[in-house]
Amino acid sequence: WKNTTKEHRRVNNEALPYLCDIEERVLKYGPTVIDDDMKTSSEKYGWDLKSLETWVAEKDASSFDMKTSTQSPSAKTAISVAVFLFVVFYTLLIIGVIKVNGDDAYSITYRTMLFSAIFAPPGALLRWRLSEYNGHLPGHWSWFPVG
């Protein structure tokens, strides 16, 4: 597929929109979406559509195998260590907020930094997840950035 479409991947090539459309639809939805228009375009420009179908089918099969396989012991160990370090880190931060309770500038500054360290990571993750709703609010609120 790559070799047969190489010349048509240049900017301002007349076949580039057809090529992008075929690749996008086949990669998103699989080889079952190939219709007569796609076949006609690929034949017209000399593209090997069968090799794209084969590659997508093999890719889907290998990704299915990866999803169904169990995690290795080293991956389980890495996850366990990461969870342990996360719990320890957040426990130390909370203890720091409790211990640093003075009214002097030093205590106020460090307490502020500890609160920031506690709330910044979950806040960033929340904004990242909410960003997919940007522009999806109804009516005149569609401009409002949710994330």
Side-chain angles (χ1 to χ4, degrees), residues 51-126:
S51 63
L52 179 63
E53 291 177 40
T54 305
W55 182 81
V56 169
E58 289 174 3
K59 181 178 128 332
D60 288 345
S62 67
S63 65
F64 178 75
D65 290 342
M66 289 173 48
K67 291 176 188 172
T68 58
S69 66
T70 59
Q71 290 182 340
S72 65
S74 61
K76 289 179 182 178
T77 303
I79 291 172
S80 299
V81 169
V83 168
F84 173 75
L85 290 175
F86 176 80
V87 169
V88 168
F89 177 72
Y90 265 82
T91 303
L92 291 174
L93 286 174
I94 293 170
I95 290 171
V97 167
I98 294 169
K99 291 285 188 181
V100 180
N101 60 1
D103 288 333
D104 59 337
Y106 172 84
S107 296
I108 292 171
T109 301
Y110 280 97
R111 190 170 49 240
T112 303
M113 287 191 283
L114 289 168
F115 274 121
S116 298
I118 289 172
F119 292 114
L125 291 173
L126 179 64

Side-chain angles (χ1 to χ4, degrees), residues 9 12 20 33 49 72 85 105 127 139:
R9 294 184 182 276
N12 293 331
C20 292
V33 298
L49 192 58
S72 65
L85 290 175
R127 287 186 65 199

Side-chain angles (χ1 to χ4, degrees), residues 4-22:
T4 60
T5 59
K6 186 175 184 176
E7 291 183 27
H8 300 282
R9 294 184 182 276
R10 291 185 169 72
V11 177
N12 293 331
N13 190 300
E14 68 175 27
L16 187 59
Y18 301 113
L19 176 63
C20 292
D21 183 48
I22 290 172

